[in-house]
Amino acid sequence: MAVTDPAPVALPAPHDGAARDEASADDSAEHEGILRRQSARESAARTYARSLPIVPVRARGLTIEGADGRRYLDCLSGAGTLALGHNHPVVLEAIRKVLDSGAPLHVLDLATPVKDAFTTELFRTLPPGLADRARIQFCGPAGTDAVEAALKLVRTATGRSGLLAFTGAYHGMTAGALAASGGAQDVRVTRLPYPQDYRCPFGIGGARGAELAARWTESLLDDTKSGVPLPAGMILEPVQGEGGVIPAPDAWLRRMRTITENRSIPLIADEVQTGVGRTGAFWAVDHSGVVPDVMVLSKAVGGSLPLAVVVYHEDLDVWSPGAHAGTFRGNQLAMAAGAATLAYVRENRLDRRAAELGARIIGQLEQATKEFACVGDVRGRGLMIGVELVDPSAAATAPATADDPLLEASSAGPLPAAPALAAAVRDACLDRGLIVELGGRHSSVVRLLPPLTLTDEQAAAVVDRLTDALAAVARVADRL
């Protein structure tokens, strides 16, 4: 998530077709009053509310209606939680069924028909090789709780304490999860290079850059003087989301699996945001065929309600009774909504739909923005898409590589990130009725996380509004 915002870039007023709908005086007053009271009462830690000054009152599918009467296309989707969009009929029906049945809503970790149905559906979707020998741990309600449980699990199972994590990672905001994330200040985790093309840590990108990242990892583990003892586990995201929408190369991910397997290091795949069809496969590790030892799941797995679980190989199941618990690990409504969502995505092959539609959107954005000097890169996988904004005025100072024998001649070097331009694009999108958010190292990547139920017509509208916003910002950037 974007925690802080840079100074804004002045933009021209949006064109008439994107102007705000007129709202009644009463609606406007209610809207402004709620926002004022939120600002006065809520913590300074609030995030999305700062950059998205809207008051949602109704929502369905891709669309949110605000208290001021305006309608928005929501490509934030609860940070990827809403796989089926807002208030999907199958989710609402699943929730109503539990409510109408008189079933208990809070049961700690007792067995219930609702939990049994959820677990059965979840195991049906797991990667082959894990489902048949898996155990599930229900955690507290957030993804960061599941990350904490996973880290605690591998430390208990291996008797080791160290962890391997990656630059750019985001695993949550609790202490252990934050320590394994890229923004950690008190470093107790060994940090490894995460491969990427546009900002490759080795300056070359592509398969060669990924190979060097893998070799670095292997060398670090095998060098007896590296200062890194055999760790309890390695945790990674198959696509870094908050890190800037960076998909891991499949070959590199398979290499990480081989490296960890050969050294008896449990591999933890954080699929909190990438899971349930988001990247064009049901689980993002499915693209590479990798079977991790541990999978951390939340967001969409609860069908829009709070739910987090850890699924892991039975050999790691060394918990003693009560070794890990949580008061709200038996959320029956979330399990019902989650089972309905999992089944709907699986039965309707929405993962394949996400792959096809995502590739089309990325292609359209690449084509539409290639003349914009402030767009450095368009990337993503499935319906997890990012557009990185850069400073075009820094072109003259971009690193020259022709005289550097260590770099490939084709490597021109990325331009500096432009968080102010990215914030301007986000604001321009909101003016045009499109909700997006920012990610990346400097909050310079505009992110799209639309629901998997996105139609072709809606996708075209999203691309049009985002492209129009980018064009408006590019015109301003060209004049600076």
Side-chain angles (χ1 to χ4, degrees), residues 123-135 257 261 286 289-295 311-315:
F123 275 44
R124 185 178 286 129
T125 71
L126 293 175
L130 178 59
D132 293 342
R133 301 190 63 187
R135 294 290 184 270
R257 173 69 284 190
E261 196 167 45
D286 292 340
V290 162
V291 179
D293 301 292
V294 184
M295 292 178 67
V311 178
Y312 54 89
H313 194 281
E314 62 185 5
D315 289 350

Side-chain angles (χ1 to χ4, degrees), residues 17 88 92 188 200 229 238 263 279 304 320 431 473:
H88 193 281
L92 296 182
R188 301 180 183 180
C200 174
R263 293 160 181 80
T279 68
S304 77
S320 58
D431 286 339
V473 171

Side-chain angles (χ1 to χ4, degrees), residues 112-453:
T112 71
V114 174
K115 178 193 279 189
D116 184 63
F118 169 80
T119 304
T120 299
E121 183 58 44
L122 176 62
F123 275 44
R124 185 178 286 129
T125 71
L126 293 175
L130 178 59
D132 293 342
R133 301 190 63 187
R135 294 290 184 270
I136 185 169
Q137 171 74 36
F138 289 87
C139 307
T144 191
D145 301 314
V147 169
E148 295 285 352
L151 301 183
K152 183 176 175 182
L153 172 71
V154 296
R155 283 170 166 151
T156 302
T158 63
R160 305 189 291 263
S161 61
L163 290 170
L164 302 175
F166 291 85
T167 53
Y170 178 79
H171 298 293
M173 296 299 289
T174 52
L178 190 60
S181 299
Q185 300 298 312
D186 182 10
V187 179
R188 301 180 183 180
V189 175
T190 300
R191 207 72 52 176
L192 302 170
Y194 192 94
Q196 54 177 307
D197 290 338
Y198 190 63
R199 296 191 184 279
C200 174
F202 303 104
I204 56 177
R208 180 61 176 159
E211 168 65 16
L212 290 179
R215 287 192 184 189
W216 174 264
T217 300
E218 203 163 26
S219 173
L220 198 70
L221 290 170
D222 293 344
D223 184 351
T224 57
K225 295 297 183 180
S226 68
V228 179
L230 194 66
M234 172 189 285
I235 184 168
L236 57 77
E237 300 158 274
V239 179
Q240 286 193 344
E242 305 300 333
V245 192
I246 304 172
D250 291 339
W252 174 84
L253 196 53
R254 287 191 288 268
R255 186 75 172 275
M256 292 302 101
R257 173 69 284 190
T258 299
I259 288 172
T260 53
E261 196 167 45
N262 289 346
R263 293 160 181 80
S264 299
I265 301 170
L267 177 64
I268 305 168
D270 182 341
E271 292 256 16
V272 168
Q273 193 168 93
T274 56
V276 195
R278 169 62 56 190
T279 68
F282 207 98
W283 306 106
V285 292
D286 292 340
H287 291 290
S288 61
V290 162
V291 179
D293 301 292
V294 184
M295 292 178 67
V296 179
L297 314 176
S298 188
K299 292 194 185 293
V301 82
S304 77
L305 298 180
L307 185 65
V309 300
V310 181
V311 178
Y312 54 89
H313 194 281
E314 62 185 5
D315 289 350
L316 296 173
D317 195 29
V318 297
W319 294 122
S320 58
H324 193 81
T327 301
F328 294 102
R329 64 192 186 276
N331 189 335
Q332 298 295 284
L333 293 182
M335 291 177 190
T341 298
L342 291 167
Y344 192 88
V345 172
R346 176 179 57 81
E347 292 167 0
N348 292 278
R349 299 182 175 180
L350 293 189
D351 51 344
R352 297 186 186 182
R353 167 69 175 168
E356 296 167 2
L357 191 54
R360 188 191 314 163
I361 291 173
I362 291 172
Q364 290 171 343
L365 288 174
E366 287 175 336
Q367 183 64 28
T369 63
K370 62 182 180 181
E371 301 302 322
F372 300 159
C374 63
V375 174
D377 195 28
V378 178
R379 56 182 179 261
R381 197 158 203 175
L383 289 176
M384 195 170 180
I385 299 167
V387 179
E388 182 165 352
L389 276 293
V390 296
D391 181 2
S393 67
T397 61
T401 62
D403 298 328
D404 191 340
L406 297 179
L407 298 177
E408 295 178 357
S410 60
S411 177
L415 298 177
L421 293 181
V425 172
R426 179 193 58 204
D427 296 345
C429 284
L430 196 64
D431 286 339
R432 289 155 175 78
L434 177 63
I435 296 174
V436 299
E437 249 301 349
L438 306 182
R441 274 28 175 215
H442 303 281
S443 296
S444 61
V445 178
V446 177
R447 301 186 59 200
L448 294 178
L449 291 166
L452 310 188
T453 52

